[in-house]
């Protein structure tokens, strides 16, 4: 059964708990939705325009990381979190539209080009005092949302079968745009409150319209590919921060050891993420109508991407701190984001296991849960930068090794292949 009581249509053959499903012959997963084997959806490749669009987020994440690093105070953490959620949601709006309606239409191409300009303006405002940049941020984000509203309006004629869903998105995103516009003329707490209300409306809009989403489901391979590309951009931010920090130290093995450990940690995080079965929630939405699991998978990437960007700041500032005066602050910026990333990966893993009808406890789940607990413990240990980075590296590599060797990981990848996706790429 689905979370909202619907019958699970994946029809995956279950054996005794812990056994791998049989993918051969008559016990193979059912294709569902009336599709014959071999038909499936047409291929949708990521275009050069989409890659160009994603590149703006390299700069956006970098500016957000610098903002956090300039002043890791409670107020700045709040502003950073709201700004990051807005930037991520701007990416998600464009990406899900392309995955739902295709990336070769004039509406998408021209809309994306205009959104590039709004995001470029938005990126200019991500650093600096809100009294100077708040109005420009609010107006740029308003323009971004209105462009997306216009793109959905154009689908009313080209995709009449999903008109009810598109109208819901227009109303929701249009309502949020009003709050973004109003925020441009507010200051202080009122401005941040308007941002929060607008983000809540934006996030709730697809959730409230999830029953109508079945007429406009995202492409089963295109969306996971775009989501994966954004995680690579975020992980690349770790490399950027580490290189910038290591330039403050002498080029000797001992001084550069924290940088090397941080880079290895980034590689381990990459492996840990891409070893997960990422397409199953999208496949479940297509073949069993489980839109809730799809939205949980998509929204779960917001805290993961946020955690990775914050982790980059912790690594970079720990490496550049020559006298260790801010070891305690830098350790918190490593420990808590690492725990957040692990907890998000744990949620994503359990969501996939639930979709696949498997038990919610496998070696990977245990390893990632232990990694999350170990990361939290780092926050309370009096460690210097080298010890903190060594511990973080050991935590991530341990979880990645267990996940890579877990038979359940390979079974989930095989299940994706049988259901029409490309399977786990690592």
């Amino acid at each position: 059964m689905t979370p909202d009581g619907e019958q699970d249509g994946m029809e995956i053959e279950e054996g005794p708990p812990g056994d791998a499903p049989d993918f051969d012959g008559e016990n193979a997963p059912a294709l569902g939705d009336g599709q014959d084997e071999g038909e499936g959806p047409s291929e949708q490749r990521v275009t050069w325009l989409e890659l160009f669009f994603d590149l703006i987020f390299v700069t956006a994440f970098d500016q957000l990381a610098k903002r956090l690093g300039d002043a890791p105070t409670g107020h700045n953490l709040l502003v950073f979190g709201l700004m990051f959620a807005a930037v991520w949601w701007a990416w998600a709006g464009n990406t899900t539209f392309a995955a739902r309606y295709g990336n070769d239409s004039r509406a998408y191409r021209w809309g994306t080009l205009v959104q590039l300009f709004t995001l470029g303006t938005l990126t200019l405002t991500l650093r600096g005092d809100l009294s100077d940049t708040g109005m420009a941020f609010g107006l740029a984000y308003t323009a971004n949302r209105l462009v997306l509203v216009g793109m959905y309006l154009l689908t009313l004629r080209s995709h009449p079968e999903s008109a009810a869903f598109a109208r819901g998105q227009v109303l929701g995103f249009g309502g949020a745009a009003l709050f973004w516009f109003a925020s441009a003329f507010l200051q202080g707490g009122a401005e941040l409150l308007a941002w929060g209300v607008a983000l809540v409306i934006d996030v709730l809009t697809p959730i409230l319209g999830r029953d109508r989403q079945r007429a406009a489901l995202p492409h089963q391979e295109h969306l996971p590919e775009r989501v994966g590309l954004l995680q690579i951009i975020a992980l690349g931010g770790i490399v950027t921060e580490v290189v910038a920090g290591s330039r403050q130290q002498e080029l000797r093995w001992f001084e550069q050891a924290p940088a090397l450990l941080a880079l290895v940690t980034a590689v381990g995080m990459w492996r840990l993420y891409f070893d997960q079965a990422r397409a199953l929630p999208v496949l479940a939405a297509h073949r069993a109508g489980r839109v809730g699991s799809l939205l949980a998978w998509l929204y779960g990437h917001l805290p993961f991407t946020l955690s990775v960007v914050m982790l980059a700041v912790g690594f970079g500032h720990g490496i550049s701190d020559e006298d260790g005066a801010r070891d305690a602050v830098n350790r918190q910026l490593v420990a808590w984001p690492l725990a957040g990333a692990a907890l998000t990966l744990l949620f994503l893993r359990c969501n996939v296991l639930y979709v696949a009808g498997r038990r919610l406890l496998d070696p990977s789940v245990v390893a990632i849960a232990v990694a999350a607990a170990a990361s939290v413990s780092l926050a309370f240990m009096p460690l210097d930068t080298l010890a903190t980075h060594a511990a973080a590296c050991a935590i991530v590599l341990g979880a990645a090794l267990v996940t890579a060797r877990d038979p359940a990981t390979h079974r989930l990848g095989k299940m994706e292949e049988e259901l029409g996706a490309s399977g786990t790429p690592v």
Side-chain angles (χ1 to χ4, degrees):
M1 302 287 287
T2 64
D4 48 1
E6 297 177 10
Q7 183 67 33
D8 184 347
M10 294 282 286
E11 299 181 24
I12 296 171
E13 185 74 15
E14 283 291 326
D19 287 352
D22 184 1
F23 291 100
D24 298 322
E26 62 183 13
N27 291 328
L31 290 172
D33 288 344
Q35 289 180 333
D36 295 328
E37 186 175 359
E39 287 184 359
S42 60
E43 186 178 16
Q44 183 176 334
R45 294 180 178 274
V46 175
T47 63
W48 296 117
L49 176 60
E50 289 176 289
L51 294 175
F52 187 38
F53 178 83
D54 285 350
L55 278 179
I56 196 72
F57 295 92
V58 176
T59 306
F61 289 168
D62 178 68
Q63 291 300 298
L64 286 167
K66 286 180 169 58
R67 181 185 186 90
L68 177 61
D70 289 342
T73 62
H75 179 265
N76 199 35
L77 278 170
L78 174 62
V79 176
F80 166 83
L82 289 172
M83 282 186 160
F84 190 96
V87 168
W88 186 92
W89 193 249
W91 170 86
N94 179 278
T95 299
T96 54
F97 183 93
R100 294 182 193 282
Y101 298 106
N103 52 10
D104 58 351
S105 66
R106 289 184 179 179
Y108 176 74
R109 292 198 303 268
W110 284 105
T112 299
L113 287 173
V114 177
Q115 283 192 327
L116 275 170
F117 286 100
T118 67
L119 288 169
T121 304
L122 195 72
T123 302
L124 292 174
T125 69
L126 295 178
R127 204 173 173 192
D129 194 283
L130 283 185
S131 61
D132 300 322
T133 63
M135 175 177 284
F137 180 89
L139 292 177
Y141 206 84
T142 300
N144 181 274
R145 305 319 289 165
L146 290 178
V147 172
L148 184 62
V149 166
M151 291 163 67
Y152 272 103
L153 284 173
L154 291 174
T155 68
L156 294 177
R157 294 185 61 183
S158 59
H159 295 80
E161 71 282 357
S162 61
F165 169 73
R167 282 193 290 267
Q169 305 309 289
V170 167
L171 291 175
F173 296 151
L178 292 177
F179 281 92
W180 287 113
F181 181 74
S183 74
F185 305 96
L186 301 174
Q187 292 286 328
E191 180 181 33
L192 298 183
L193 179 61
W195 288 5
V197 172
L199 282 171
V200 168
I201 295 173
D202 270 335
V203 170
L204 287 179
T205 295
I207 295 176
L208 295 177
R210 69 176 187 174
D211 289 338
R212 295 185 291 273
Q213 285 193 43
R214 294 183 178 88
L217 290 171
H219 192 276
Q220 64 186 32
E221 291 192 83
H222 186 80
L223 182 59
E225 185 177 5
R226 287 291 302 280
V227 171
L229 288 172
L230 189 72
Q231 309 322 306
I232 290 176
I233 290 173
L235 289 167
I238 296 181
V239 179
T240 301
E241 290 292 321
V242 166
V243 170
S246 63
R247 293 179 64 184
Q248 308 301 317
Q249 304 290 348
E250 295 186 26
L251 196 60
R252 295 201 299 255
W253 281 109
F254 182 78
E255 280 76 9
Q256 296 298 326
L260 294 174
L261 289 167
L263 291 176
V264 174
T265 304
V267 174
M269 189 72 72
W270 163 80
R271 180 69 193 246
L272 188 57
Y273 172 78
F274 282 98
D275 259 335
Q276 308 301 319
R278 297 176 298 113
L280 278 179
V282 190
L283 290 164
H286 277 274
R287 303 179 186 283
R290 299 176 67 165
V291 179
S293 296
L294 164 63
L295 292 176
W297 169 81
L298 178 62
Y299 286 12
H301 283 83
L302 170 56
F304 179 76
T305 314
L306 173 68
S307 298
V308 171
V309 172
M310 292 181 68
L311 181 62
V313 176
F315 279 149
H317 281 253
I319 294 167
S320 64
D321 190 9
E322 297 183 7
D323 55 6
R326 298 180 60 188
D327 274 351
V329 174
N330 296 328
R331 186 173 64 251
Q332 304 303 315
L333 285 174
V334 171
W336 293 111
L338 191 60
L343 287 173
T344 305
L345 287 173
L346 180 63
F347 169 77
L348 294 174
R349 179 79 176 193
C350 290
N351 185 50
V352 166
L353 290 171
Y354 177 77
V355 164
R358 311 304 297 173
R359 62 179 184 177
L360 300 184
L361 189 64
D362 60 19
S364 296
V365 168
V366 174
I368 298 172
V370 170
S375 300
V376 171
S377 69
L378 286 181
F380 304 98
M381 296 180 181
L383 303 176
D384 62 10
T385 295
L386 178 60
T388 299
H389 289 198
C393 184
I395 290 170
V396 172
L397 289 182
L401 180 63
V402 172
T403 301
R405 298 179 65 85
D406 185 0
T409 299
H410 300 285
R411 290 198 297 267
L412 291 171
K414 180 66 174 176
M415 187 180 295
E416 284 187 331
E417 293 177 359
E418 292 288 338
L419 290 171
S422 58
T424 303
V426 180

